[in-house]
Amino acid sequence: MLHHFAPNERIFAAHIMDLFEQVERGKGIRCTGFCDLRQAAIVHQIGQAYDLNCQPFGGWTDAERVLFVLAPSQWQMPDSPIVAICLQTYGEVTHRDILGSVLGLGIKREQIGDILRTENGHIVLVKPPADRVILDELKRVGREAVKCSLIALEEIPEPIRNFRMIKGTVKSLRLDSVVSLCANCSREKGKLLVEKELVTVDAVVRPEPAFLIPESCTISIRGHGKFQIACDGVVTAKGRYVITIKKYI
C-alpha cells in the first residue's frame, strides 16, 4: 500500500497503517495527531482497507486540521479527544505568534489543531497532554503576557472571519476550473492540485477534476487557503459562469 504514496508521505502513511493494525489486533482505540488536508486524505485512503471506525474530530464545525479516532467497528465512538484553551492578551497577537510560542514549549505540530480568533481571545485546539503544558508553561506570546484557561468545546464563541473578495468567470463548474480561479493559477495546475488530493469540497476530498461543484460550497486548497464559493446562475454572453469567491484571510 505504501507504493501508492509519494516518498515524502510514506513515513506518515506507515505510522497510520501501524495505528490501524494495532486496533485490528485488539489493542484498543488509537488516535492520530492533527492532520493537514493531505494527511487527512491519506488517513481516509488507508482506512478503506480496514473494517474499522475512523472518525474525524476538529473541535468545531469548520475545522481545517482534524485528528482521527480509530476503533473496532462494533465499539461506540468516544467523545471528542480535543481540548480547547482560551488565550487572552491585552495587545494584538497573530496566529503565527501563538503557534510559534506554543511550539517553543516543545509541543509537536501534530498536537495543535486550529487556532481561532474570537471576540474573547484566541482559542487553541489541542490534543492532550499538550493542554497541560500550555496551561502550566505558556506565559507570553511574543512580547505580550497571556492568560490561559480551559473552555468547553460547545462554548467556543463564533470565530472572527475576514475575507478578501474575488470575482471571476469559469467555462464550467468543474472543480479544476474553480480551483484555478481560487488559486490564481493555470487550469493545468488546478487539475494537478485536485488529482494530488490537495482539495476538499465541503470538507470532503474530491480527487476528480471533472467533479461539478455545488453552486454554494466551501473549498480548501492546501497551500492556497480556504474559499467560500457562490454561483447564482448568472452566465455571461459568452456562456461563462460568474462566480463570487470569499477567501479567508
Side-chain angles (χ1 to χ4, degrees):
M1 183 181 292
L2 292 179
H3 294 295
H4 293 286
F5 304 107
N8 64 329
E9 297 172 340
R10 289 174 186 166
I11 293 177
F12 176 78
H15 168 64
I16 297 301
M17 288 176 63
D18 181 58
L19 291 179
F20 273 104
E21 288 169 5
Q22 289 178 38
V23 178
E24 196 171 55
R25 293 196 302 267
K27 300 296 185 180
I29 291 175
R30 293 292 184 266
C31 185
T32 73
F34 281 99
C35 301
D36 61 26
L37 183 62
R38 175 56 186 158
Q39 290 171 332
I42 291 173
V43 175
H44 280 298
Q45 185 173 341
I46 293 173
Q48 292 174 4
Y50 295 86
D51 184 24
L52 299 172
N53 283 330
C54 178
Q55 180 68 43
F57 291 95
W60 70 296
T61 305
D62 294 330
E64 293 185 15
R65 293 179 62 84
V66 297
L67 53 74
F68 295 83
V69 174
L70 316 179
S73 56
Q74 71 273 17
W75 286 27
Q76 181 177 355
M77 294 301 290
D79 294 333
S80 172
I82 296 170
V83 175
I85 299 176
C86 181
L87 273 57
Q88 294 177 305
T89 63
Y90 287 105
E92 285 292 324
V93 294
T94 67
H95 181 287
R96 180 176 294 183
D97 294 333
I98 294 171
L99 182 59
S101 296
V102 170
L103 296 181
L105 300 176
I107 296 173
K108 295 181 178 180
R109 183 65 180 95
E110 58 264 30
Q111 294 176 287
I112 307 300
D114 287 357
I115 299 174
L116 312 175
R117 185 164 67 95
T118 75
E119 293 288 352
N120 297 329
H122 285 81
I123 306 297
V124 182
L125 297 162
V126 304
K127 177 185 176 183
D131 55 321
R132 294 315 318 169
V133 178
I134 295 172
L135 290 169
D136 293 342
E137 299 184 22
L138 187 62
K139 306 302 181 184
R140 304 190 72 84
V141 171
R143 297 182 178 179
E144 297 293 330
V146 61
K147 178 183 177 182
C148 301
S149 58
L150 290 174
I151 181 172
L153 295 179
E154 59 271 17
E155 295 177 359
I156 295 176
E158 181 67 22
I160 298 171
R161 306 182 187 185
N162 295 323
F163 301 96
R164 178 167 64 86
M165 298 299 296
I166 302 171
K167 275 202 169 185
T169 63
V170 292
K171 187 176 181 179
S172 75
L173 295 181
R174 282 175 52 117
L175 182 55
D176 55 355
S177 294
V178 177
V179 165
S180 66
L181 179 60
C182 291
N184 191 28
C185 65
S186 68
R187 172 78 172 272
E188 187 61 31
K189 176 65 179 300
K191 180 181 178 182
L192 286 174
L193 289 170
V194 175
E195 291 177 337
K196 290 181 178 180
E197 300 185 354
L198 301 179
V199 178
T200 63
V201 180
D202 291 332
V204 177
V205 176
R206 297 291 184 183
E208 312 91 359
F211 175 78
L212 296 178
I213 68 165
E215 292 187 352
S216 177
C217 62
T218 300
I219 292 179
S220 292
I221 308 170
R222 184 179 177 185
H224 295 274
K226 189 174 183 179
F227 308 82
Q228 284 188 2
I229 310 297
C231 177
D232 56 10
V234 176
V235 181
T236 68
K238 294 184 178 181
R240 295 177 65 85
Y241 292 86
V242 178
I243 293 182
T244 301
I245 300 169
K246 291 181 178 180
K247 179 179 182 180
Y248 290 78
I249 57 174

